[in-house]
Amino acid sequence: MARLQLEDGKLYTDLKEITQELAPLHIQLNRWSVGDNPQLNQLLAKDNLDEDEKEQVLKALDGYFEQLKQTAGYESRDLIVLHPQTPNLDGLLTKFDKIHTHADDEVRYIVAGEAIFGFVRPDGSQVELTVQPEEYINVPAGTEHWFYLTPARRVKAVRYFAGTEGWVPEYTGTPIRIHQVVA
Ligand SMILES: CSCCC(=O)/C(O)=C/O
Ligand SMILES: [Fe+2]
Ligand code: NI
């Protein structure tokens, strides 16, 4: 279940209150059920998935992709699988743990594990959102944000793309105040 931490330490766990706190950023945060398909849940419980298993997970969840294709013109999706044995995990994460933006919306559907997104709100305040399974987030293009993993260092997320060039991180140089990401 999502948790939002403000700079003053205040913690929100109610989805409505979290949505209100994120409203100035127009971030969408919804609960999307993964369903109770035993094969799918078995795959989601594994640390590592081969390409065929990733495609099985994506196909099982493509109902949501069809919706996004219709409503928002998304064209492709992939499954990112991160776990403690992921080769060069720290190197991969350093791409995202500094404040950056993207030219396209950052659209993620967390299907296992958890991760933390940090955001800079229009008033300059910083917040950190922990997202967990069955949570869908849409971070609008141009939003200053950062991303890192919790100590569990595990997340599986479907990434939806309108194109691919738009998700490259553009670093803004804004310092993270709320939380010194432990290298
Ligand atoms: C779980 S998605 C990997 C992180 C990512 O793509 C990004 O841009 C984070 O800000
Ligand atoms: Fe990002
Ligand atoms: Ni930390």
Side-chain angles (χ1 to χ4, degrees), residues 58-106:
L58 288 167
K59 280 202 167 55
L61 299 169
D62 264 347
Y64 295 120
F65 180 41
E66 290 309 315
Q67 271 177 37
L68 289 173
K69 277 201 279 191
Q70 302 301 326
T71 58
Y74 284 92
E75 294 164 358
S76 61
R77 82 294 190 248
D78 71 5
L79 182 71
I80 187 162
V81 177
L82 303 177
H83 59 88
Q85 283 70 44
T86 297
N88 190 28
L89 177 59
D90 290 323
L92 193 151
L93 292 172
T94 53
K95 276 199 286 187
F96 305 118
D97 67 8
K98 290 164 284 300
I99 294 183
H100 64 281
T101 62
H102 302 285
D104 282 346
D105 294 357
E106 179 161 328

Side-chain angles (χ1 to χ4, degrees), residues 29-136:
L29 181 65
N30 302 101
R31 286 195 63 74
W32 282 4
S33 166
V34 157
D36 53 6
N37 172 330
Q39 286 79 13
L40 173 59
N41 284 294
Q42 243 169 11
L43 288 172
L44 293 178
K46 292 177 68 175
D47 256 357
N48 206 19
L49 297 176
D50 64 28
E51 290 312 308
D52 177 55
E53 290 170 323
K54 284 181 187 173
E55 193 53 34
Q56 285 179 56
V57 169
L58 288 167
K59 280 202 167 55
L61 299 169
D62 264 347
Y64 295 120
F65 180 41
E66 290 309 315
Q67 271 177 37
L68 289 173
K69 277 201 279 191
Q70 302 301 326
T71 58
Y74 284 92
E75 294 164 358
S76 61
R77 82 294 190 248
D78 71 5
L79 182 71
I80 187 162
V81 177
L82 303 177
H83 59 88
Q85 283 70 44
T86 297
N88 190 28
L89 177 59
D90 290 323
L92 193 151
L93 292 172
T94 53
K95 276 199 286 187
F96 305 118
D97 67 8
K98 290 164 284 300
I99 294 183
H100 64 281
T101 62
H102 302 285
D104 282 346
D105 294 357
E106 179 161 328
V107 187
R108 306 285 185 263
Y109 173 33
I110 309 298
V111 293
E114 59 183 14
I116 298 174
F117 284 90
F119 302 107
V120 182
R121 295 197 289 193
D123 66 358
S125 64
Q126 297 184 358
V127 298
E128 283 194 330
L129 174 71
T130 302
V131 286
Q132 295 191 322
E134 302 192 299
E135 288 172 343
Y136 163 86

